[in-house]
Amino acid sequence: MVPNFSLRQLGYLVAVADSGSMTAAAEAEHVSQAAISAGINDLERRLGVRLLARHPGHGVSLTEPGLGILADARRVLAAASDVLSQARAPGSDLRGSLALGCFTTMAPLYLPALYDSFAIQHPGLELTVVEGAQEDLRRALMNGTCEIALTYANRLGPGVAMEMIRTLRPYVLLAASHALADRESVTLHDLADEPLVQFSLHPSPNDIEELLRNAAVTPKVVHSSPNIEVVRSLVARGLGYSPMLQRWPMNVSLEGLPLVCVPLESTVPDYRVVVAWPQNDHLSRRAAAVISFLRTHATEHPIRAEAV
């Protein structure tokens, strides 16, 4: 059955959802407000559902059916863009746009290469990035805001496919002056009586709690922050230890104080960095190219916390 609505109408719906008003959507789409309103009214009529709740003087909001259709609309538009890209530039030349979600602490370690080297390889592809915690990225994948997301494999929930980028071994971040700083490895029992500085951006607290619980250690959390540099700076000042996954290139805090990364014993499970996407979605050429680039980048730039 051929749909009786247009890609343009779906684009109007996405524009309104992203901007929050008919006026702003019209500006973004370079059409009149009347064209936006007429297009969405016709889309509602053809679909048989109300997509938008109008609030005179206060913009619009999506209805519950509208939220569901919005996610599908984003995917349909992404697929259409992929078809157009393939038709106009067969082979390796990519065009169009791709929205990538990225776990916040991974952003400074992966995004510069995407914005630089990858952009040089694919100048016709527009890359936009949404940074956030795990639950933010899952929500963005499920509602179509992001096509793919770079994050950790754990706690993503059902309905998600993924491809591994690298595997990391947990370690403990310590001040260079710490009594255990010169050890080749430590156990969580070695630090059971010491204060813990917690990185609070999910899923990190849950993962650390699970590690501590499995080691039968009750943590003594003295500081908690969603800012990784705050955590690293507090540890560098000797205010506690912090179990970590992602290894920073330089073992100093922003204040210039030295830090030490001591591996946890080998019985602690490894963690996977992955690119994830909705399981039922077709992976576009653009997304596949980003995944391939990230895997190559990880291979060419190994880190000391990487499992082998």
Side-chain angles (χ1 to χ4, degrees), residues 8-285:
R8 183 178 297 277
Q9 289 173 322
L10 295 181
Y12 288 169
L13 176 64
V14 171
V16 171
D18 289 344
S19 64
S21 74
M22 296 282 191
T23 302
E27 293 177 358
E29 294 294 303
H30 305 291
V31 297
S32 68
Q33 183 176 336
I36 294 286
S37 180
I40 292 181
N41 286 339
D42 188 55
L43 180 62
E44 290 178 321
R45 182 180 62 80
R46 293 177 184 274
L47 294 177
V49 294
R50 188 183 181 198
L51 302 175
L52 297 177
R54 281 75 169 176
H55 311 290
H58 299 283
V60 297
S61 61
L62 270 75
T63 62
E64 186 172 346
L67 288 170
I69 291 172
L70 174 66
D72 290 334
R74 293 188 192 277
R75 296 185 179 101
V76 168
L77 292 171
S81 178
D82 205 33
V83 170
L84 184 61
S85 174
Q86 177 66 15
R88 291 184 174 177
S92 59
D93 192 15
L94 298 176
R95 296 189 178 278
S97 61
L98 182 139
L100 168 73
C102 186
F103 191 73
T104 298
T105 56
M106 295 182 187
L109 303 174
Y110 294 91
L111 294 188
L114 281 171
Y115 284 136
D116 184 15
S117 302
F118 182 80
I120 292 173
Q121 294 174 18
H122 304 285
L125 179 61
E126 179 185 358
L127 182 69
T128 58
V129 177
V130 176
E131 297 179 34
Q134 195 82 322
E135 62 267 29
D136 301 322
L137 299 182
R138 175 176 171 80
R139 189 180 308 112
L141 288 176
M142 293 299 102
N143 66 23
T145 302
C146 290
E147 188 172 342
I148 55 177
L150 178 65
T151 186
Y152 292 110
N154 52 318
R155 306 184 194 280
L156 270 174
V160 176
M162 60 187 72
E163 186 166 334
M164 190 175 74
I165 302 301
R166 67 181 356 137
T167 304
L168 301 176
R169 286 180 176 165
Y171 65 94
V172 172
L173 189 68
L174 299 172
S177 59
H178 195 281
L180 301 178
D182 59 352
R183 294 270 293 270
E184 291 187 3
S185 65
V186 295
T187 69
L188 291 171
H189 278 288
D190 294 331
L191 298 156
D193 295 328
E194 302 202 20
L196 183 147
V197 179
Q198 184 181 63
F199 178 51
S200 60
L201 190 68
H202 288 282
S204 294
N206 304 91
D207 296 334
I208 299 308
E209 287 172 10
E210 185 175 358
L211 287 176
L212 293 165
R213 184 169 57 252
N214 291 339
V217 171
T218 302
K220 300 177 180 179
V221 180
V222 292
H223 300 284
S224 180
S225 175
N227 187 322
I228 189 66
E229 292 298 349
V230 171
V231 172
R232 296 178 82 250
S233 293
L234 292 175
V235 171
R237 284 178 170 266
L239 300 178
Y241 74 97
S242 188
M244 291 282 181
L245 298 179
Q246 189 69 55
R247 183 74 70 95
W248 253 228
M250 295 182 294
N251 291 334
V252 294
S253 70
L254 283 180
E255 294 180 301
L257 299 177
L259 289 158
V260 174
C261 302
V262 182
L264 281 168
E265 61 179 5
S266 59
T267 56
V268 174
D270 297 331
Y271 286 77
R272 292 181 298 155
V273 175
V274 301
V275 173
W277 65 93
Q279 194 169 37
N280 294 328
D281 283 9
H282 169 71
L283 201 60
S284 70
R285 291 175 62 232

